[in-house]
């Protein structure tokens, strides 16, 4: 089951695709922030799949270059640990600043990971997490942050640097080059 969280004004454009996969695709409306969108998508998934689905993989459409191997690896890790997130070790040096003007300190790069999507979590865990977030008024920046807030483990699954987030025109140029590199690769079933 795939739930597409999408503004209702765009849903009619994608309805033929949803119809084509009869019962395996559905829409959910977005929330005001990412957190609300994920919660709406999770509610729709739980409503439609019921007990037939134990895990949710939350994926950001701004990361269209994720590979089949990455998806399989993060799902496998989530099944073992309860939650997993794709990521790569940070290559850049990261500075912390309180005012955006002066460096407060350099954060050791060896401990830093840039996280990607999909992020895979047991549905029951994420539902408990959303309850905690609402009760305590927590702000979370990604889905596994909810799991972290509950003190539960999240497995880092080594991903690929090519699973970049496309947010600028330059990112699109890089994505095009990655796709050009991949065009001759055979897609094989890994599951």
């Amino acid at each position: 089951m795939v739930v597409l969280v999408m503004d209702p004004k765009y849903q009619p454009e994608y309805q033929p695709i949803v119809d084509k996969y009869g019962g395996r695709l559905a829409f959910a409306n977005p929330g005001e922030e990412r957190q609300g969108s994920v919660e709406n998508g999770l509610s729709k998934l739980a409503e439609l799949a019921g007990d037939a689905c134990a895990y949710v993989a939350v994926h950001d459409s701004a990361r269209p270059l994720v590979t089949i191997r990455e998806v399989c690896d993060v799902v496998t890790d989530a099944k073992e640990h309860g939650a997993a997130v794709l990521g790569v070790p940070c290559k850049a040096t990261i500075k912390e600043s309180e005012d955006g003007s002066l460096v407060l300190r350099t954060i050791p790069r060896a401990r830093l990971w840039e996280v990607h999507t999909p992020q895979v979590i047991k549905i029951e865990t994420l539902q408990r997490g959303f309850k905690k977030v609402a009760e305590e008024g927590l702000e979370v920046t990604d889905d596994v942050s909810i799991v972290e807030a509950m003190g539960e483990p999240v497995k880092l699954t080594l991903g690929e640097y090519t699973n970049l987030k496309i947010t600028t025109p330059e990112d699109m140029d890089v994505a095009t080059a990655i796709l050009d590199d991949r065009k001759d690769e055979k897609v094989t079933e890994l599951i």
Side-chain angles (χ1 to χ4, degrees):
M1 164 69 55
V2 174
V3 176
L4 304 169
V5 179
M6 177 183 300
D7 189 305
K9 70 182 176 187
Y10 298 114
Q11 291 176 10
E13 190 176 334
Y14 291 89
Q15 190 63 53
I17 298 168
V18 170
D19 293 342
K20 181 178 176 182
Y21 290 95
R24 293 187 294 172
L25 287 176
F27 291 118
N29 293 333
E32 288 186 28
E33 301 290 335
R34 175 191 168 88
Q35 183 176 313
S37 295
V38 172
E39 190 168 14
N40 291 349
L42 180 65
S43 294
K44 179 60 81 172
L45 177 64
E47 171 193 326
L48 296 175
D51 293 337
C53 188
Y55 292 84
V56 60
V58 180
H59 187 61
D60 186 343
S61 62
R63 291 190 184 273
L65 301 175
V66 66
T67 65
I68 294 170
R69 170 56 61 200
E70 286 176 297
V71 173
C72 292
D73 288 350
V74 73
V75 167
T76 297
D77 283 349
K79 285 181 176 181
E80 183 177 337
H81 298 276
V85 59
L86 277 179
V88 292
C90 282
K91 295 191 276 185
T93 297
I94 308 293
K95 303 286 186 185
E96 182 179 1
S97 172
E98 288 182 342
D99 62 5
S101 177
L102 297 174
V103 172
L104 178 64
R105 69 184 177 120
T106 301
I107 301 172
R109 177 176 38 206
R111 297 177 52 190
L112 298 178
W113 283 66
E114 175 186 316
V115 295
H116 298 169
T117 62
Q119 300 184 8
V120 183
I121 306 164
K122 270 186 150 173
I123 290 175
E124 176 272 328
T125 301
L126 194 53
Q127 288 170 326
R128 280 188 297 113
F130 276 125
K131 184 176 179 189
K132 178 182 178 72
V133 165
E135 288 171 353
E136 298 179 17
L138 301 175
E139 258 189 62
V140 292
T141 57
D142 71 345
D143 313 303
V144 294
S145 294
I146 296 171
V147 179
E148 294 168 44
M150 295 190 311
E152 297 188 24
V154 176
K155 172 74 168 115
L156 283 168
T157 302
L158 182 61
E160 298 179 19
Y161 289 99
T162 56
N163 185 14
L164 60 103
K165 188 171 187 176
I166 299 177
T167 56
T168 67
E170 294 81 12
D171 295 336
M172 190 61 96
D173 294 339
V174 174
T176 299
I178 291 167
L179 290 173
D180 283 345
D181 273 356
R182 290 182 181 172
K183 70 181 174 191
D184 295 327
E185 289 180 18
K186 299 255 188 264
V187 177
T188 58
E189 192 169 319
L190 299 173
I191 304 173

